[in-house]
mmCIF file of all heavy atoms in Angstrom:
data_model
loop_
_atom_site.group_PDB
_atom_site.id
_atom_site.type_symbol
_atom_site.label_atom_id
_atom_site.label_comp_id
_atom_site.label_asym_id
_atom_site.label_seq_id
_atom_site.Cartn_x
_atom_site.Cartn_y
_atom_site.Cartn_z
ATOM 1 N N ARG G 61 -212.816 -136.391 -229.767
ATOM 2 C CA ARG G 61 -212.882 -135.855 -228.400
ATOM 3 C C ARG G 61 -212.695 -136.973 -227.400
ATOM 4 O O ARG G 61 -213.327 -137.016 -226.367
ATOM 5 C CB ARG G 61 -214.221 -135.111 -228.144
ATOM 6 C CG ARG G 61 -214.300 -133.846 -228.932
ATOM 7 C CD ARG G 61 -214.697 -132.687 -227.988
ATOM 8 N NE ARG G 61 -214.474 -131.422 -228.664
ATOM 9 C CZ ARG G 61 -213.739 -130.445 -228.121
ATOM 10 N NH1 ARG G 61 -213.213 -130.557 -226.927
ATOM 11 N NH2 ARG G 61 -213.575 -129.291 -228.778
ATOM 12 N N ASP G 62 -211.698 -137.830 -227.721
ATOM 13 C CA ASP G 62 -211.427 -138.960 -226.835
ATOM 14 C C ASP G 62 -210.314 -138.569 -225.899
ATOM 15 O O ASP G 62 -209.161 -138.838 -226.107
ATOM 16 C CB ASP G 62 -211.026 -140.177 -227.673
ATOM 17 C CG ASP G 62 -210.809 -141.390 -226.814
ATOM 18 O OD1 ASP G 62 -211.018 -141.311 -225.569
ATOM 19 O OD2 ASP G 62 -210.390 -142.415 -227.388
ATOM 20 N N ALA G 63 -210.702 -137.869 -224.828
ATOM 21 C CA ALA G 63 -209.723 -137.299 -223.887
ATOM 22 C C ALA G 63 -208.941 -138.359 -223.166
ATOM 23 O O ALA G 63 -207.758 -138.199 -222.909
ATOM 24 C CB ALA G 63 -210.438 -136.391 -222.886
ATOM 25 N N SER G 64 -209.563 -139.438 -222.892
ATOM 26 C CA SER G 64 -208.852 -140.439 -222.083
ATOM 27 C C SER G 64 -207.743 -141.072 -222.868
ATOM 28 O O SER G 64 -206.672 -141.366 -222.330
ATOM 29 C CB SER G 64 -209.842 -141.506 -221.589
ATOM 30 O OG SER G 64 -210.401 -142.185 -222.688
ATOM 31 N N THR G 65 -207.906 -141.258 -224.190
ATOM 32 C CA THR G 65 -206.827 -141.806 -225.000
ATOM 33 C C THR G 65 -205.660 -140.856 -225.019
ATOM 34 O O THR G 65 -204.511 -141.234 -224.855
ATOM 35 C CB THR G 65 -207.326 -142.024 -226.446
ATOM 36 O OG1 THR G 65 -208.603 -142.614 -226.419
ATOM 37 C CG2 THR G 65 -206.333 -142.881 -227.213
ATOM 38 N N ILE G 66 -206.017 -139.578 -225.223
ATOM 39 C CA ILE G 66 -204.968 -138.561 -225.231
ATOM 40 C C ILE G 66 -204.233 -138.571 -223.900
ATOM 41 O O ILE G 66 -203.008 -138.541 -223.839
ATOM 42 C CB ILE G 66 -205.572 -137.175 -225.503
ATOM 43 C CG1 ILE G 66 -206.114 -137.140 -226.933
ATOM 44 C CG2 ILE G 66 -204.487 -136.101 -225.385
ATOM 45 C CD1 ILE G 66 -206.952 -135.930 -227.250
ATOM 46 N N GLN G 67 -205.010 -138.622 -222.834
ATOM 47 C CA GLN G 67 -204.401 -138.618 -221.495
ATOM 48 C C GLN G 67 -203.424 -139.767 -221.364
ATOM 49 O O GLN G 67 -202.300 -139.585 -220.898
ATOM 50 C CB GLN G 67 -205.497 -138.701 -220.414
ATOM 51 C CG GLN G 67 -204.952 -138.545 -218.985
ATOM 52 C CD GLN G 67 -204.467 -137.109 -218.736
ATOM 53 O OE1 GLN G 67 -205.198 -136.145 -219.066
ATOM 54 N NE2 GLN G 67 -203.280 -136.958 -218.220
ATOM 55 N N ALA G 68 -203.834 -140.955 -221.811
ATOM 56 C CA ALA G 68 -202.975 -142.137 -221.690
ATOM 57 C C ALA G 68 -201.702 -141.934 -222.487
ATOM 58 O O ALA G 68 -200.612 -142.246 -222.042
ATOM 59 C CB ALA G 68 -203.743 -143.370 -222.195
ATOM 60 N N MET G 69 -201.840 -141.314 -223.664
ATOM 61 C CA MET G 69 -200.682 -141.090 -224.527
ATOM 62 C C MET G 69 -199.686 -140.104 -223.878
ATOM 63 O O MET G 69 -198.505 -140.405 -223.762
ATOM 64 C CB MET G 69 -201.164 -140.517 -225.874
ATOM 65 C CG MET G 69 -200.054 -140.550 -226.916
ATOM 66 S SD MET G 69 -200.736 -140.178 -228.564
ATOM 67 C CE MET G 69 -201.371 -138.528 -228.294
ATOM 68 N N ILE G 70 -200.257 -139.012 -223.430
ATOM 69 C CA ILE G 70 -199.335 -138.025 -222.876
ATOM 70 C C ILE G 70 -198.699 -138.506 -221.575
ATOM 71 O O ILE G 70 -197.555 -138.185 -221.267
ATOM 72 C CB ILE G 70 -199.974 -136.608 -222.690
ATOM 73 C CG1 ILE G 70 -201.198 -136.640 -221.793
ATOM 74 C CG2 ILE G 70 -200.290 -136.002 -224.048
ATOM 75 C CD1 ILE G 70 -201.768 -135.250 -221.492
ATOM 76 N N ASP G 71 -199.448 -139.306 -220.846
ATOM 77 C CA ASP G 71 -198.858 -139.854 -219.621
ATOM 78 C C ASP G 71 -197.659 -140.724 -219.950
ATOM 79 O O ASP G 71 -196.664 -140.735 -219.230
ATOM 80 C CB ASP G 71 -199.903 -140.672 -218.844
ATOM 81 C CG ASP G 71 -200.787 -139.763 -218.015
ATOM 82 O OD1 ASP G 71 -200.384 -138.551 -217.840
ATOM 83 O OD2 ASP G 71 -201.851 -140.175 -217.536
ATOM 84 N N ARG G 72 -197.739 -141.398 -221.089
ATOM 85 C CA ARG G 72 -196.629 -142.267 -221.505
ATOM 86 C C ARG G 72 -195.396 -141.431 -221.814
ATOM 87 O O ARG G 72 -194.293 -141.730 -221.418
ATOM 88 C CB ARG G 72 -197.049 -143.070 -222.747
ATOM 89 C CG ARG G 72 -197.052 -144.601 -222.471
ATOM 90 C CD ARG G 72 -197.370 -145.446 -223.690
ATOM 91 N NE ARG G 72 -197.250 -144.880 -224.984
ATOM 92 C CZ ARG G 72 -198.252 -144.675 -225.830
ATOM 93 N NH1 ARG G 72 -199.507 -144.921 -225.449
ATOM 94 N NH2 ARG G 72 -198.060 -144.223 -227.065
ATOM 95 N N PHE G 73 -195.655 -140.315 -222.573
ATOM 96 C CA PHE G 73 -194.534 -139.450 -222.955
ATOM 97 C C PHE G 73 -193.842 -138.783 -221.767
ATOM 98 O O PHE G 73 -192.665 -138.460 -221.805
ATOM 99 C CB PHE G 73 -194.992 -138.366 -223.949
ATOM 100 C CG PHE G 73 -195.074 -138.875 -225.348
ATOM 101 C CD1 PHE G 73 -196.310 -138.981 -226.014
ATOM 102 C CD2 PHE G 73 -193.913 -139.283 -226.011
ATOM 103 C CE1 PHE G 73 -196.390 -139.467 -227.311
ATOM 104 C CE2 PHE G 73 -194.028 -139.757 -227.304
ATOM 105 C CZ PHE G 73 -195.239 -139.861 -227.980
ATOM 106 N N LEU G 74 -194.662 -138.632 -220.733
ATOM 107 C CA LEU G 74 -194.127 -137.955 -219.541
ATOM 108 C C LEU G 74 -192.976 -138.720 -218.900
ATOM 109 O O LEU G 74 -192.123 -138.161 -218.216
ATOM 110 C CB LEU G 74 -195.268 -137.757 -218.513
ATOM 111 C CG LEU G 74 -195.019 -136.716 -217.401
ATOM 112 C CD1 LEU G 74 -194.842 -135.317 -218.003
ATOM 113 C CD2 LEU G 74 -196.216 -136.690 -216.468
ATOM 114 N N GLU G 75 -192.918 -139.999 -219.208
ATOM 115 C CA GLU G 75 -191.845 -140.808 -218.590
ATOM 116 C C GLU G 75 -190.470 -140.515 -219.213
ATOM 117 O O GLU G 75 -189.446 -140.840 -218.638
ATOM 118 C CB GLU G 75 -192.197 -142.308 -218.746
ATOM 119 C CG GLU G 75 -193.161 -142.772 -217.678
ATOM 120 C CD GLU G 75 -193.949 -144.024 -218.122
ATOM 121 O OE1 GLU G 75 -193.449 -144.779 -218.969
ATOM 122 O OE2 GLU G 75 -195.060 -144.218 -217.586
ATOM 123 N N ILE G 76 -190.495 -139.948 -220.430
ATOM 124 C CA ILE G 76 -189.215 -139.620 -221.091
ATOM 125 C C ILE G 76 -188.498 -138.563 -220.239
ATOM 126 O O ILE G 76 -189.099 -137.597 -219.774
ATOM 127 C CB ILE G 76 -189.460 -139.091 -222.500
ATOM 128 C CG1 ILE G 76 -190.036 -140.224 -223.372
ATOM 129 C CG2 ILE G 76 -188.160 -138.582 -223.150
ATOM 130 C CD1 ILE G 76 -190.568 -139.772 -224.704
ATOM 131 N N SER G 77 -187.178 -138.796 -220.047
ATOM 132 C CA SER G 77 -186.451 -137.895 -219.128
ATOM 133 C C SER G 77 -186.429 -136.472 -219.708
ATOM 134 O O SER G 77 -186.297 -136.289 -220.904
ATOM 135 C CB SER G 77 -185.005 -138.403 -218.913
ATOM 136 O OG SER G 77 -184.189 -138.059 -220.004
ATOM 137 N N GLY G 78 -186.573 -135.537 -218.821
ATOM 138 C CA GLY G 78 -186.540 -134.129 -219.214
ATOM 139 C C GLY G 78 -187.952 -133.603 -219.469
ATOM 140 O O GLY G 78 -188.189 -132.404 -219.393
ATOM 141 N N VAL G 79 -188.854 -134.429 -219.715
ATOM 142 C CA VAL G 79 -190.196 -133.925 -219.996
ATOM 143 C C VAL G 79 -190.893 -133.638 -218.677
ATOM 144 O O VAL G 79 -190.946 -134.474 -217.800
ATOM 145 C CB VAL G 79 -191.027 -134.969 -220.797
ATOM 146 C CG1 VAL G 79 -192.418 -134.421 -221.113
ATOM 147 C CG2 VAL G 79 -190.300 -135.307 -222.085
ATOM 148 N N SER G 80 -191.435 -132.411 -218.512
ATOM 149 C CA SER G 80 -192.057 -132.033 -217.249
ATOM 150 C C SER G 80 -193.579 -132.093 -217.352
ATOM 151 O O SER G 80 -194.240 -132.487 -216.412
ATOM 152 C CB SER G 80 -191.674 -130.598 -216.878
ATOM 153 O OG SER G 80 -190.353 -130.541 -216.535
ATOM 154 N N TYR G 81 -193.987 -131.563 -218.461
ATOM 155 C CA TYR G 81 -195.455 -131.593 -218.588
ATOM 156 C C TYR G 81 -195.831 -131.718 -220.053
ATOM 157 O O TYR G 81 -195.018 -131.398 -220.928
ATOM 158 C CB TYR G 81 -196.091 -130.326 -217.965
ATOM 159 C CG TYR G 81 -195.697 -129.044 -218.658
ATOM 160 C CD1 TYR G 81 -196.459 -128.589 -219.798
ATOM 161 C CD2 TYR G 81 -194.620 -128.288 -218.245
ATOM 162 C CE1 TYR G 81 -196.092 -127.432 -220.421
ATOM 163 C CE2 TYR G 81 -194.262 -127.132 -218.854
ATOM 164 C CZ TYR G 81 -194.999 -126.695 -219.947
ATOM 165 O OH TYR G 81 -194.635 -125.541 -220.591
ATOM 166 N N ILE G 82 -197.011 -132.167 -220.321
ATOM 167 C CA ILE G 82 -197.602 -132.133 -221.661
ATOM 168 C C ILE G 82 -199.064 -131.776 -221.481
ATOM 169 O O ILE G 82 -199.717 -132.219 -220.545
ATOM 170 C CB ILE G 82 -197.497 -133.527 -222.355
ATOM 171 C CG1 ILE G 82 -196.020 -133.960 -222.449
ATOM 172 C CG2 ILE G 82 -198.126 -133.486 -223.769
ATOM 173 C CD1 ILE G 82 -195.873 -135.411 -222.916
ATOM 174 N N PHE G 83 -199.544 -130.861 -222.281
ATOM 175 C CA PHE G 83 -201.006 -130.644 -222.272
ATOM 176 C C PHE G 83 -201.505 -130.363 -223.689
ATOM 177 O O PHE G 83 -200.733 -129.899 -224.544
ATOM 178 C CB PHE G 83 -201.396 -129.549 -221.249
ATOM 179 C CG PHE G 83 -200.945 -128.179 -221.579
ATOM 180 C CD1 PHE G 83 -201.794 -127.349 -222.357
ATOM 181 C CD2 PHE G 83 -199.735 -127.680 -221.139
ATOM 182 C CE1 PHE G 83 -201.407 -126.051 -222.637
ATOM 183 C CE2 PHE G 83 -199.371 -126.410 -221.443
ATOM 184 C CZ PHE G 83 -200.169 -125.570 -222.167
ATOM 185 N N VAL G 84 -202.696 -130.624 -223.912
ATOM 186 C CA VAL G 84 -203.290 -130.460 -225.239
ATOM 187 C C VAL G 84 -204.467 -129.514 -225.105
ATOM 188 O O VAL G 84 -205.269 -129.618 -224.179
ATOM 189 C CB VAL G 84 -203.764 -131.817 -225.805
ATOM 190 C CG1 VAL G 84 -204.345 -131.671 -227.214
ATOM 191 C CG2 VAL G 84 -202.615 -132.813 -225.840
ATOM 192 N N VAL G 85 -204.499 -128.515 -226.000
ATOM 193 C CA VAL G 85 -205.653 -127.608 -226.007
ATOM 194 C C VAL G 85 -206.373 -127.729 -227.350
ATOM 195 O O VAL G 85 -205.751 -128.031 -228.375
ATOM 196 C CB VAL G 85 -205.194 -126.136 -225.768
ATOM 197 C CG1 VAL G 85 -204.767 -125.896 -224.352
ATOM 198 C CG2 VAL G 85 -204.069 -125.758 -226.721
ATOM 199 N N ASP G 86 -207.651 -127.447 -227.337
ATOM 200 C CA ASP G 86 -208.375 -127.459 -228.596
ATOM 201 C C ASP G 86 -208.295 -126.090 -229.244
ATOM 202 O O ASP G 86 -207.656 -125.192 -228.733
ATOM 203 C CB ASP G 86 -209.831 -127.885 -228.380
ATOM 204 C CG ASP G 86 -210.570 -126.924 -227.444
ATOM 205 O OD1 ASP G 86 -210.017 -125.794 -227.195
ATOM 206 O OD2 ASP G 86 -211.659 -127.254 -226.953
ATOM 207 N N ALA G 87 -208.926 -126.056 -230.389
ATOM 208 C CA ALA G 87 -208.834 -124.815 -231.155
ATOM 209 C C ALA G 87 -209.373 -123.626 -230.396
ATOM 210 O O ALA G 87 -208.955 -122.500 -230.624
ATOM 211 C CB ALA G 87 -209.578 -124.980 -232.488
ATOM 212 N N ASN G 88 -210.196 -123.826 -229.449
ATOM 213 C CA ASN G 88 -210.739 -122.728 -228.661
ATOM 214 C C ASN G 88 -209.846 -122.366 -227.501
ATOM 215 O O ASN G 88 -210.135 -121.429 -226.761
ATOM 216 C CB ASN G 88 -212.125 -123.104 -228.100
ATOM 217 C CG ASN G 88 -213.065 -123.354 -229.249
ATOM 218 O OD1 ASN G 88 -212.991 -122.694 -230.307
ATOM 219 N ND2 ASN G 88 -213.956 -124.352 -229.098
ATOM 220 N N GLY G 89 -208.813 -123.137 -227.284
ATOM 221 C CA GLY G 89 -207.860 -122.836 -226.168
ATOM 222 C C GLY G 89 -208.274 -123.541 -224.899
ATOM 223 O O GLY G 89 -207.706 -123.239 -223.872
ATOM 224 N N ASP G 90 -209.166 -124.469 -224.933
ATOM 225 C CA ASP G 90 -209.521 -125.177 -223.715
ATOM 226 C C ASP G 90 -208.619 -126.393 -223.573
ATOM 227 O O ASP G 90 -208.371 -127.119 -224.509
ATOM 228 C CB ASP G 90 -210.991 -125.640 -223.779
ATOM 229 C CG ASP G 90 -211.942 -124.440 -223.773
ATOM 230 O OD1 ASP G 90 -211.553 -123.395 -223.104
ATOM 231 O OD2 ASP G 90 -212.994 -124.498 -224.436
ATOM 232 N N ILE G 91 -208.154 -126.595 -222.382
ATOM 233 C CA ILE G 91 -207.272 -127.718 -222.119
ATOM 234 C C ILE G 91 -208.075 -129.002 -222.137
ATOM 235 O O ILE G 91 -209.050 -129.146 -221.386
ATOM 236 C CB ILE G 91 -206.563 -127.557 -220.779
ATOM 237 C CG1 ILE G 91 -205.582 -126.365 -220.869
ATOM 238 C CG2 ILE G 91 -205.756 -128.829 -220.411
ATOM 239 C CD1 ILE G 91 -205.025 -125.931 -219.556
ATOM 240 N N ILE G 92 -207.677 -129.935 -223.023
ATOM 241 C CA ILE G 92 -208.400 -131.177 -223.132
ATOM 242 C C ILE G 92 -207.835 -132.180 -222.152
ATOM 243 O O ILE G 92 -208.559 -132.779 -221.394
ATOM 244 C CB ILE G 92 -208.343 -131.716 -224.584
ATOM 245 C CG1 ILE G 92 -209.028 -130.717 -225.505
ATOM 246 C CG2 ILE G 92 -209.006 -133.106 -224.693
ATOM 247 C CD1 ILE G 92 -208.730 -130.941 -226.971
ATOM 248 N N SER G 93 -206.490 -132.303 -222.174
ATOM 249 C CA SER G 93 -205.869 -133.169 -221.154
ATOM 250 C C SER G 93 -204.503 -132.606 -220.802
ATOM 251 O O SER G 93 -203.878 -131.881 -221.583
ATOM 252 C CB SER G 93 -205.741 -134.605 -221.690
ATOM 253 O OG SER G 93 -204.906 -134.607 -222.826
ATOM 254 N N HIS G 94 -204.026 -132.951 -219.654
ATOM 255 C CA HIS G 94 -202.735 -132.411 -219.177
ATOM 256 C C HIS G 94 -202.112 -133.349 -218.184
ATOM 257 O O HIS G 94 -202.768 -134.278 -217.699
ATOM 258 C CB HIS G 94 -202.926 -131.030 -218.546
ATOM 259 C CG HIS G 94 -203.699 -131.062 -217.257
ATOM 260 N ND1 HIS G 94 -203.134 -131.277 -216.055
ATOM 261 C CD2 HIS G 94 -205.063 -130.949 -217.040
ATOM 262 C CE1 HIS G 94 -204.083 -131.298 -215.133
ATOM 263 N NE2 HIS G 94 -205.297 -131.093 -215.709
ATOM 264 N N THR G 95 -200.858 -133.100 -217.846
ATOM 265 C CA THR G 95 -200.136 -133.971 -216.911
ATOM 266 C C THR G 95 -199.812 -133.236 -215.615
ATOM 267 O O THR G 95 -198.961 -133.656 -214.832
ATOM 268 C CB THR G 95 -198.816 -134.446 -217.526
ATOM 269 O OG1 THR G 95 -198.082 -133.316 -217.891
ATOM 270 C CG2 THR G 95 -199.030 -135.370 -218.672
ATOM 271 N N PHE G 96 -200.470 -132.086 -215.445
ATOM 272 C CA PHE G 96 -200.135 -131.307 -214.233
ATOM 273 C C PHE G 96 -200.717 -131.967 -213.017
ATOM 274 O O PHE G 96 -201.875 -132.378 -213.040
ATOM 275 C CB PHE G 96 -200.683 -129.866 -214.356
ATOM 276 C CG PHE G 96 -199.976 -129.057 -215.422
ATOM 277 C CD1 PHE G 96 -200.677 -128.657 -216.561
ATOM 278 C CD2 PHE G 96 -198.636 -128.743 -215.288
ATOM 279 C CE1 PHE G 96 -200.041 -127.939 -217.547
ATOM 280 C CE2 PHE G 96 -198.058 -128.020 -216.276
ATOM 281 C CZ PHE G 96 -198.702 -127.603 -217.402
ATOM 282 N N ILE G 97 -199.927 -132.100 -211.984
ATOM 283 C CA ILE G 97 -200.396 -132.639 -210.723
ATOM 284 C C ILE G 97 -199.977 -131.663 -209.646
ATOM 285 O O ILE G 97 -198.804 -131.264 -209.657
ATOM 286 C CB ILE G 97 -199.751 -134.029 -210.442
ATOM 287 C CG1 ILE G 97 -200.084 -134.984 -211.570
ATOM 288 C CG2 ILE G 97 -200.244 -134.594 -209.103
ATOM 289 C CD1 ILE G 97 -199.205 -136.221 -211.599
ATOM 290 N N PRO G 98 -200.834 -131.213 -208.762
ATOM 291 C CA PRO G 98 -202.234 -131.557 -208.667
ATOM 292 C C PRO G 98 -203.104 -130.597 -209.507
ATOM 293 O O PRO G 98 -204.138 -130.988 -209.985
ATOM 294 C CB PRO G 98 -202.531 -131.353 -207.162
ATOM 295 C CG PRO G 98 -201.512 -130.345 -206.704
ATOM 296 C CD PRO G 98 -200.350 -130.474 -207.610
ATOM 297 N N THR G 99 -202.484 -129.250 -209.703
ATOM 298 C CA THR G 99 -203.315 -128.307 -210.444
ATOM 299 C C THR G 99 -202.528 -127.683 -211.584
ATOM 300 O O THR G 99 -201.306 -127.735 -211.603
ATOM 301 C CB THR G 99 -203.775 -127.134 -209.537
ATOM 302 O OG1 THR G 99 -202.625 -126.649 -208.870
ATOM 303 C CG2 THR G 99 -204.853 -127.572 -208.566
ATOM 304 N N ILE G 100 -203.321 -127.099 -212.501
ATOM 305 C CA ILE G 100 -202.680 -126.405 -213.609
ATOM 306 C C ILE G 100 -202.137 -125.074 -213.102
ATOM 307 O O ILE G 100 -202.871 -124.296 -212.498
ATOM 308 C CB ILE G 100 -203.701 -126.137 -214.739
ATOM 309 C CG1 ILE G 100 -204.280 -127.463 -215.226
ATOM 310 C CG2 ILE G 100 -203.061 -125.377 -215.897
ATOM 311 C CD1 ILE G 100 -205.518 -127.303 -216.120
ATOM 312 N N PRO G 101 -200.799 -124.807 -213.294
ATOM 313 C CA PRO G 101 -200.255 -123.529 -212.810
ATOM 314 C C PRO G 101 -200.903 -122.351 -213.570
ATOM 315 O O PRO G 101 -201.345 -122.539 -214.709
ATOM 316 C CB PRO G 101 -198.749 -123.619 -213.140
ATOM 317 C CG PRO G 101 -198.467 -125.040 -213.528
ATOM 318 C CD PRO G 101 -199.776 -125.663 -213.954
ATOM 319 N N ASP G 102 -200.925 -121.196 -212.877
ATOM 320 C CA ASP G 102 -201.589 -120.032 -213.449
ATOM 321 C C ASP G 102 -200.977 -119.617 -214.769
ATOM 322 O O ASP G 102 -201.688 -119.158 -215.684
ATOM 323 C CB ASP G 102 -201.500 -118.828 -212.478
ATOM 324 C CG ASP G 102 -202.279 -119.123 -211.206
ATOM 325 O OD1 ASP G 102 -203.151 -120.023 -211.240
ATOM 326 O OD2 ASP G 102 -202.000 -118.448 -210.183
ATOM 327 N N GLU G 103 -199.580 -119.712 -214.825
ATOM 328 C CA GLU G 103 -198.869 -119.200 -216.010
ATOM 329 C C GLU G 103 -199.358 -119.879 -217.297
ATOM 330 O O GLU G 103 -199.239 -119.333 -218.395
ATOM 331 C CB GLU G 103 -197.345 -119.441 -215.864
ATOM 332 C CG GLU G 103 -196.673 -118.479 -214.910
ATOM 333 C CD GLU G 103 -196.728 -118.962 -213.463
ATOM 334 O OE1 GLU G 103 -197.409 -119.970 -213.173
ATOM 335 O OE2 GLU G 103 -196.074 -118.314 -212.597
ATOM 336 N N ILE G 104 -199.937 -121.079 -217.201
ATOM 337 C CA ILE G 104 -200.376 -121.831 -218.381
ATOM 338 C C ILE G 104 -201.448 -121.055 -219.139
ATOM 339 O O ILE G 104 -201.465 -121.044 -220.375
ATOM 340 C CB ILE G 104 -200.899 -123.233 -217.961
ATOM 341 C CG1 ILE G 104 -199.742 -124.087 -217.439
ATOM 342 C CG2 ILE G 104 -201.592 -123.968 -219.154
ATOM 343 C CD1 ILE G 104 -198.658 -124.386 -218.417
ATOM 344 N N SER G 105 -202.260 -120.350 -218.353
ATOM 345 C CA SER G 105 -203.341 -119.638 -219.014
ATOM 346 C C SER G 105 -202.817 -118.608 -220.008
ATOM 347 O O SER G 105 -203.484 -118.263 -220.985
ATOM 348 C CB SER G 105 -204.216 -118.952 -217.948
ATOM 349 O OG SER G 105 -203.409 -118.123 -217.180
ATOM 350 N N LYS G 106 -201.598 -118.137 -219.741
ATOM 351 C CA LYS G 106 -201.032 -117.122 -220.643
ATOM 352 C C LYS G 106 -200.648 -117.731 -221.988
ATOM 353 O O LYS G 106 -200.603 -117.053 -222.990
ATOM 354 C CB LYS G 106 -199.778 -116.497 -219.991
ATOM 355 C CG LYS G 106 -200.109 -115.355 -219.077
ATOM 356 C CD LYS G 106 -198.790 -114.727 -218.554
ATOM 357 C CE LYS G 106 -198.889 -114.515 -217.073
ATOM 358 N NZ LYS G 106 -197.570 -114.362 -216.478
ATOM 359 N N ILE G 107 -200.249 -119.008 -221.944
ATOM 360 C CA ILE G 107 -199.755 -119.583 -223.192
ATOM 361 C C ILE G 107 -200.775 -120.504 -223.886
ATOM 362 O O ILE G 107 -200.569 -120.897 -225.046
ATOM 363 C CB ILE G 107 -198.449 -120.355 -222.961
ATOM 364 C CG1 ILE G 107 -198.633 -121.452 -221.916
ATOM 365 C CG2 ILE G 107 -197.300 -119.435 -222.595
ATOM 366 C CD1 ILE G 107 -197.510 -122.458 -221.847
ATOM 367 N N LYS G 108 -201.816 -120.835 -223.201
ATOM 368 C CA LYS G 108 -202.698 -121.834 -223.789
ATOM 369 C C LYS G 108 -203.442 -121.306 -225.018
ATOM 370 O O LYS G 108 -203.907 -122.065 -225.857
ATOM 371 C CB LYS G 108 -203.703 -122.367 -222.735
ATOM 372 C CG LYS G 108 -204.709 -121.358 -222.268
ATOM 373 C CD LYS G 108 -205.639 -121.970 -221.233
ATOM 374 C CE LYS G 108 -206.703 -120.949 -220.854
ATOM 375 N NZ LYS G 108 -207.472 -121.417 -219.701
ATOM 376 N N ASN G 109 -203.468 -119.957 -225.153
ATOM 377 C CA ASN G 109 -204.156 -119.417 -226.303
ATOM 378 C C ASN G 109 -203.236 -119.096 -227.475
ATOM 379 O O ASN G 109 -203.685 -118.511 -228.468
ATOM 380 C CB ASN G 109 -204.914 -118.150 -225.898
ATOM 381 C CG ASN G 109 -206.109 -118.505 -225.010
ATOM 382 O OD1 ASN G 109 -206.766 -119.553 -225.244
ATOM 383 N ND2 ASN G 109 -206.383 -117.699 -224.024
#
Side-chain angles (χ1 to χ4, degrees):
Chain G
R61 291 230 167 233
D62 183 3
S64 63
T65 316
I66 293 170
Q67 186 69 48
M69 193 169 61
I70 58 175
D71 278 345
R72 242 184 18 245
F73 279 114
L74 198 63
E75 278 157 26
I76 293 169
S77 79
V79 181
S80 290
Y81 63 87
I82 302 171
F83 68 90
V84 182
V85 288
D86 61 14
N88 298 325
D90 293 328
I91 293 169
I92 297 165
S93 62
H94 68 86
T95 56
F96 292 113
I97 302 164
T99 49
I100 301 167
D102 295 340
E103 284 87 352
I104 292 297
S105 56
K106 274 184 226 161
I107 57 167
K108 67 180 184 190
N109 289 323

